[in-house]
Amino acid sequence: MTSPREPIGVIGTGYVGLVTAAGFAELGNDVWCIDIDAAKVDRLKRGEIPIYEPGLAELVTKHRGRLHFSTDIADALEQARLLFVAVGTPPTYSGDADLSSVNAVVDAMPPSDQHALVMKSTVPVGTGDSIKRIFAGQGKEGFRYVSCPEFLKEGSAVSDFLRPNRVVVGDDGDWAGDAVVELYAPLDAPLVRTDIASGEMIKLAANAFLATKISFINEIANVCEVTGANVTEVAKGIGLDDRIGPKFLQAGVGFGGSCFPKDVSALKQLAGNSGYHFQLLNAVIEVNELQKRRVIGKLEKHLGTLVGKRVALLGLAFKPNTDDMREATSLVLSARLQAAGAHVSAYDPIAEGEARRMMPGLEFADDTLGCVRDADAVVLVTEWEEFKTMDLGQIAAAMAGNVLIDGRNALDPAAVRAAGLIYEGIGQG
Ligand code: UGA
């Protein structure tokens, strides 16, 4: 029965659910995708992909025959014994994860000793144990549970699924864990088979560590600014030490997205709830909040007061290659600029629709030149490829002023200066 091509269910068709479903379809599995949002299910049935994720639309189209969409969990239960859970776990006001969507799935499960929930959603450590207790209380003790955290990055989620660094399976050592291991076997990735709580912690610790790396290099960048060192050189110099590694050492205007801010705060909160004060994570969060605001100081250094000044923001999404605006630095930056009296124009190649909803009072442009026209200063917030290759001479000619803040150290300072602009990056002397 445990063939790698066994049919599976995926509950939740957001970034994680849809990529997981399409990825398994690519491996040859039939996938029953369930979502409570009927309009979304209808769109998916028509072949429309509700999110922007490179390669996803192609994969979903290629495997239309293997991907089945429905609003009824019974369809998945009938066809599959492994039900991947990929529903949202957003932060609550207290910083804890909101598990109401996960709990709704748990409650919807019937008594069965033929099925297992496979948790993809990021949940606090201890969630597996408490779900098993809930199952027992509901007379469903036969239902199995597996923690199988995801490590997909938005923008490269499809290739991350197909070429993972590792697969983590946290379980009770039963048929369900074996079946999940089988499912991932064709990917030939290093496997960490462990207990449920450790599986849950691996996910939170991985994101917290990566966020720590970013806040660390951002603080180094800030010290570089007052000491005359160049953070890009420093990152190269430390990253070649294979104990440190070169990745996630890109200084900038702070991390955002639906994962790092939420997961760092959830781990801090989880520790706090158990009586442990996680000091390092407090600093990681605070450094990130301050980092988002440092651009304001840089602008004031060159422009003086920002009242009445025109500032153009290039890039709004929390990172390139996504339309995701959740916790994007641009949200904090634009609100701070407006509060300081500046007039803010903005352009993003993909995220404009979502941004218009979240950022009232901004002037949205259709392209880079329209955005920078008559600006006193330009801030590169998200390092989309088209900004890295923009014609700096045209930018300089269109602007009223001459200040360019490179919030992602994505441009060549010499080229910017050669175009007659004042260049200021993050931590570059
Ligand atoms: C992150 C993790 O990288 C994934 O492994 C994980 O699966 C995912 O969260 C999740 O928990 O679902 P993601 O949020 O898509 O993925 O984005 P990242 O590429 O990790 O970037 C996060 C933020 O850090 C972005 O705002 C990015 O601009 C910033 N960043 C990243 C830096 O400022 N510097 C860096 O060197 C790297």
Side-chain angles (χ1 to χ4, degrees):
M1 253 304 267
T2 49
S3 102
R5 288 168 179 266
E6 82 166 277
I8 59 165
V10 173
I11 304 172
T13 57
Y15 279 103
V16 173
L18 211 48
V19 172
T20 303
F24 277 121
E26 173 77 359
L27 297 184
N29 302 90
D30 266 81
V31 188
W32 270 261
C33 308
I34 312 297
D35 203 293
I36 49 170
D37 183 341
K40 197 174 182 185
V41 168
D42 280 343
R43 287 182 66 188
L44 286 163
K45 279 182 175 168
R46 287 198 299 272
E48 290 172 32
I49 312 300
I51 50 171
Y52 174 78
E53 184 63 40
L56 181 60
E58 291 83 339
L59 217 54
V60 172
T61 308
K62 180 175 165 195
H63 297 300
R64 279 187 83 159
R66 289 187 191 141
L67 291 165
H68 317 273
F69 298 99
S70 165
T71 52
D72 190 353
I73 279 185
D75 289 340
L77 283 160
E78 197 179 306
Q79 303 291 341
R81 53 181 193 158
L82 298 173
L83 302 177
F84 284 79
V85 182
V87 296
T89 51
T92 60
Y93 287 117
S94 61
D96 294 284
D98 177 354
L99 293 180
S100 51
S101 299
V102 169
N103 290 333
V105 172
V106 171
D107 290 342
M109 293 300 119
S112 167
D113 53 11
Q114 312 274 325
H115 288 93
L117 284 186
V118 186
M119 191 56 68
K120 277 274 159 214
S121 302
T122 303
V123 293
V125 183
T127 301
D129 271 353
S130 83
I131 288 179
K132 286 195 292 178
R133 273 197 305 276
I134 295 172
F135 275 152
Q138 296 175 340
K140 309 176 196 166
E141 41 282 279
F143 226 100
R144 301 285 104 204
Y145 185 90
V146 180
S147 161
C148 182
E150 58 87 13
F151 302 101
L152 311 173
K153 296 184 293 297
E154 287 180 24
S156 58
V158 171
S159 61
D160 288 346
F161 179 93
L162 295 170
R163 282 176 288 281
N165 289 160
R166 78 297 207 186
V167 168
V168 174
V169 177
D171 71 304
D172 288 328
D174 50 37
W175 68 262
D178 294 345
V180 175
V181 169
E182 266 310 295
L183 275 183
Y184 280 98
L187 296 177
D188 208 17
L191 170 71
V192 180
R193 181 108 185 236
T194 185
D195 59 280
I196 294 171
S198 301
E200 293 167 340
M201 183 58 102
I202 286 169
K203 168 67 190 191
L204 290 176
N207 273 2
F209 186 79
L210 291 169
T212 303
K213 234 179 152 182
I214 299 170
S215 275
F216 177 82
I217 201 66
N218 281 338
E219 287 219 280
I220 293 289
N222 299 343
V223 179
C224 282
E225 285 179 6
V226 290
T227 54
N230 182 321
V231 74
T232 306
E233 297 298 308
V234 175
K236 199 195 297 168
I238 63 173
L240 284 167
D241 184 329
D242 61 14
R243 292 168 302 176
I244 297 174
K247 294 183 179 159
F248 280 67
L249 286 179
Q250 179 71 44
V253 286
F255 60 77
S258 62
C259 303
F260 284 176
K262 165 179 85 98
D263 292 349
V264 173
S265 132
L267 181 52
K268 179 194 127 169
Q269 197 58 36
L270 179 77
N273 295 346
S274 324
Y276 183 74
H277 181 60
F278 206 142
Q279 298 203 55
L280 189 56
L281 291 188
N282 278 326
V284 168
I285 294 165
E286 190 181 345
V287 167
N288 197 49
E289 284 312 310
L290 294 173
Q291 197 68 14
K292 294 180 192 171
R293 291 158 169 84
R294 276 179 72 87
V295 168
I296 306 291
K298 288 177 187 288
L299 288 169
E300 283 170 345
K301 184 172 102 188
H302 296 287
L303 302 178
T305 172
L306 297 181
V307 176
K309 299 285 163 48
R310 297 182 69 88
V311 179
L313 302 183
L314 294 182
L316 300 170
F318 85 93
K319 66 174 191 177
N321 297 322
T322 174
D323 59 352
D324 199 337
M325 286 293 300
R326 284 177 287 182
E327 301 285 333
T329 292
S330 62
L331 295 167
V332 172
L333 202 48
S334 62
R336 278 295 317 130
L337 285 168
Q338 286 175 305
H343 174 91
V344 185
S345 61
Y347 166 64
D348 189 282
I350 297 284
E352 184 190 327
E354 187 62 3
R356 274 184 187 275
R357 207 179 51 75
M358 298 173 82
M359 303 165 103
L362 253 62
E363 188 184 305
F364 288 94
D366 293 333
D367 55 23
T368 305
L369 272 187
C371 181
V372 304
R373 188 155 294 122
D374 298 330
D376 295 297
V378 169
V379 184
L380 194 156
V381 188
T382 312
E383 67 278 33
W384 285 93
E385 204 51 42
E386 68 177 75
F387 300 141
K388 292 189 194 168
T389 54
M390 63 193 176
D391 183 329
L392 295 163
Q394 276 187 358
I395 301 289
M399 289 173 66
N402 62 351
V403 177
L404 191 148
I405 310 285
D406 181 1
R408 297 290 177 184
N409 292 345
L411 304 173
D412 173 10
V416 174
R417 290 186 183 118
L421 296 169
I422 295 174
Y423 176 89
E424 176 138 2
I426 308 292
Q428 307 206 89

